[in-house]
Amino acid sequence: MADQQPEKATAPAADAPDSQPTVVTNNDTPKETTETAEPQVENKTETTTAQPAVETTAVQPTTAETAAEADKAPAEGQQQPQAAEEKPVAEQPEQPAYLAKNPALAQFFERLPAILSSTGHAEMWGVSLKDSNDVPTVNVLIKFLRANEGNVKLAEEQLSKALKWRKEMNPSALAESTSYSATKFGGLGYLTVYKEANGAETVVTWNIYGGVKDINTTFGDMDEFVKWRVALMELAVKELKMAEATSVIDYDGEDPYQMIQVHDYLNVSFLRLNPAIKAATKKTIEVFTTAYPELLREKFFVNVPAIMGWMFAAMKVFLSKNTTRKFHPISNGANLAREFPSLKEQFPKVYGGSAPALQEGARTVNLTQDEPTPAAAEAATNEQPTEQAKENKEEEVAQQGSKPESAPEQPKADPVVTAQEAPAAEAK
């Protein structure tokens, strides 16, 4: 048993040396790894050292190229003005033909946004004004430009005035929702639309001035008369259907968006013109000239005395051809239909056609019957003379009782004074 114990003690001693080499071996392994890694680090260092060399080599040619590009820059800069000069030439084909052929119209459209902004209104004859790509807008601007013979500044001024006027007056409402006195304007204005065989329509407005019953009643209120005329005009403009246009009108050619006007002066005296008629006529001309340019194709003055025909011939010497070529005086109204061979049968019989009278088949503005007011006025007028007659009789009786000789002399004096005052009033 004692012999066995030393053997056990020796065994651990033998194991100890065996474990040390193992530890050494483990220590050697990291050393080998470290030694193996060191060359790799050196390689990395060499690689890192090589990279700056590569970067330096890369920078040098870049600097040279930059210098070369700098030399090329002026050459490219010299070519830019040529490209800028060529741009307008390249953009011209993109413009619509009606703008390319008419520089004044193009300038007018450039001013349109400022015009709409300053006036605060963008509607003209039922057309919402937009841009040069909108056909109805183009046609409206062409009319204003033609009315001013291509002068953009004058066309801009007139369009601005017309837009402001429409904003204040609201002519569409005057035609659609406003009513007018039948006593003042009944039978004086009509609208007809005649169709051609090809489907084209001819819009005609009629002003029957010979139908005026009382000059002071019809023309006395100038503003009311102008509103009535505007209402009739707006009905006609609506029939032109300008907002539905799909093609641009030819600036120098025929304009399908125009109407015919007929003024009938049957039983109208041209020897004396009432001041109320003068004022109303002058105001109407001012409004229509500003607000409705280039909407008139032709204007016929019918049942005009022959002497007035000579006057119209003389007017051609002083007025522009563009204006006078549209005026046609006709002494006999029955010859009017001859001016429209293809539409002759559609004209009223009284004007040489086969259709019923205007009162039966034509349109007019909204009219209201206001007979009670004149009746009341007549009743009041009839009562006043009756009361005055009673007072006069009482005075005559009193005078006869006090001065019987002077009574016969007064009735003789009154007619003489009245007869003398009447011519004086007419002379005024």
Side-chain angles (χ1 to χ4, degrees):
M1 298 293 294
D3 294 337
Q4 292 177 350
Q5 291 178 351
E7 290 178 0
K8 291 180 181 179
T10 305
D15 293 338
D18 293 338
S19 61
Q20 288 178 357
T22 304
V23 174
V24 171
T25 304
N26 292 338
N27 291 336
D28 292 340
T29 302
K31 286 181 181 180
E32 292 176 357
T33 304
T34 304
E35 291 176 357
T36 306
E38 285 177 357
Q40 291 178 356
V41 173
E42 289 177 359
N43 292 338
K44 287 181 180 180
T45 304
E46 292 175 359
T47 304
T48 305
T49 306
Q51 286 177 355
V54 173
E55 290 177 358
T56 304
T57 306
V59 170
Q60 289 177 355
T62 303
T63 305
E65 291 175 2
T66 304
E69 291 177 357
D71 294 335
K72 293 180 180 179
E76 293 177 357
Q78 293 176 357
Q79 294 177 356
Q80 288 179 355
Q82 295 179 357
E85 293 177 358
E86 293 176 356
K87 280 184 179 180
V89 178
E91 291 178 356
Q92 284 182 357
E94 297 178 359
Q95 283 188 337
Y98 48 82
L99 293 181
K101 295 179 180 179
N102 194 340
L105 183 61
Q107 294 177 14
F108 200 4
F109 267 104
E110 291 176 359
R111 296 294 305 150
L112 183 59
I115 295 173
L116 300 180
S117 177
S118 62
T119 59
H121 191 72
E123 178 272 336
M124 180 60 64
W125 308 328
V127 175
S128 297
L129 301 182
K130 299 175 183 177
D131 52 37
S132 59
N133 294 321
D134 183 64
V135 173
T137 302
V138 176
N139 289 340
V140 170
L141 264 64
I142 285 178
K143 286 181 176 291
F144 276 87
L145 192 61
R146 288 171 62 173
N148 292 276
E149 299 181 352
N151 189 313
V152 178
K153 183 178 180 180
L154 295 179
E156 177 183 349
E157 293 176 356
Q158 183 176 0
L159 179 59
S160 299
K161 291 179 181 178
L163 288 172
K164 291 179 181 178
W165 177 83
R166 293 188 73 85
K167 182 180 180 181
E168 297 172 358
M169 184 67 71
N170 193 5
S172 298
L174 294 179
E176 297 172 0
S177 59
T178 306
S179 298
Y180 302 88
S181 169
T183 302
K184 296 180 179 180
F185 307 110
L188 303 185
Y190 297 97
L191 169 67
T192 57
V193 180
Y194 302 134
K195 290 187 177 181
E196 300 276 1
N198 59 1
E201 295 182 342
T202 299
V203 179
V204 184
T205 60
W206 305 77
N207 294 103
I208 316 300
Y209 290 115
V212 175
K213 301 176 181 64
D214 188 330
I215 292 177
N216 292 327
T217 300
T218 300
F219 298 95
D221 189 337
M222 181 179 64
D223 292 336
E224 186 180 13
F225 175 82
V226 172
K227 289 180 179 179
W228 167 75
R229 285 288 286 111
V230 167
L232 183 63
M233 186 65 173
E234 285 292 317
L235 290 179
V237 170
K238 188 176 181 180
E239 290 297 331
L240 294 177
K241 302 175 183 177
M242 293 191 62
E244 302 176 11
T246 56
S247 60
V248 175
I249 60 178
D250 186 356
Y251 184 85
D252 297 316
E254 184 178 354
D255 184 354
Y257 301 101
Q258 292 181 325
M259 68 184 71
I260 304 295
Q261 288 185 352
V262 178
H263 286 199
D264 191 343
Y265 292 97
L266 184 65
N267 299 325
V268 175
S269 175
F270 286 87
L271 299 178
R272 294 179 55 203
L273 195 59
N274 187 286
I277 298 178
K278 287 183 179 180
T281 302
K282 181 180 179 181
K283 183 64 176 179
T284 303
I285 292 174
E286 290 177 357
V287 170
F288 277 48
T289 302
T290 301
Y292 301 101
E294 290 295 307
L295 292 181
L296 178 65
R297 184 191 305 174
E298 291 179 294
K299 191 168 188 175
F300 294 87
F301 302 87
V302 301
N303 293 317
V304 176
I307 189 173
M308 298 302 295
W310 290 101
M311 185 192 72
F312 281 105
M315 288 171 58
K316 294 182 179 180
V317 179
F318 304 99
L319 299 178
S320 65
K321 293 182 180 179
N322 189 39
T323 301
T324 57
R325 67 180 177 82
K326 299 180 180 181
F327 290 174
H328 308 286
I330 300 177
S331 58
N332 186 357
N335 296 329
L336 176 62
R338 297 179 182 178
E339 303 291 333
F340 305 91
S342 60
L343 302 173
K344 181 179 179 181
E345 298 302 320
Q346 300 181 51
F347 273 71
K349 293 180 181 179
V350 68
Y351 296 105
S354 303
L358 293 172
Q359 294 85 340
E360 300 177 12
R363 294 172 55 195
T364 187
V365 300
N366 298 324
L367 298 173
T368 56
Q369 299 295 334
D370 49 359
E371 294 178 357
T373 302
E378 290 178 2
T381 304
N382 293 333
E383 291 178 0
Q384 290 178 356
T386 303
E387 294 177 356
Q388 291 179 356
K390 291 180 180 179
E391 293 177 359
N392 292 337
K393 287 182 179 180
E394 292 176 357
E395 290 178 0
E396 289 178 0
V397 172
Q399 290 176 358
Q400 289 177 359
S402 59
K403 297 180 180 179
E405 295 180 357
S406 61
E409 295 179 357
Q410 290 181 358
K412 292 181 181 179
D414 290 340
V416 174
V417 174
T418 304
Q420 291 176 351
E421 290 178 353
E426 291 179 1
K428 292 179 182 178

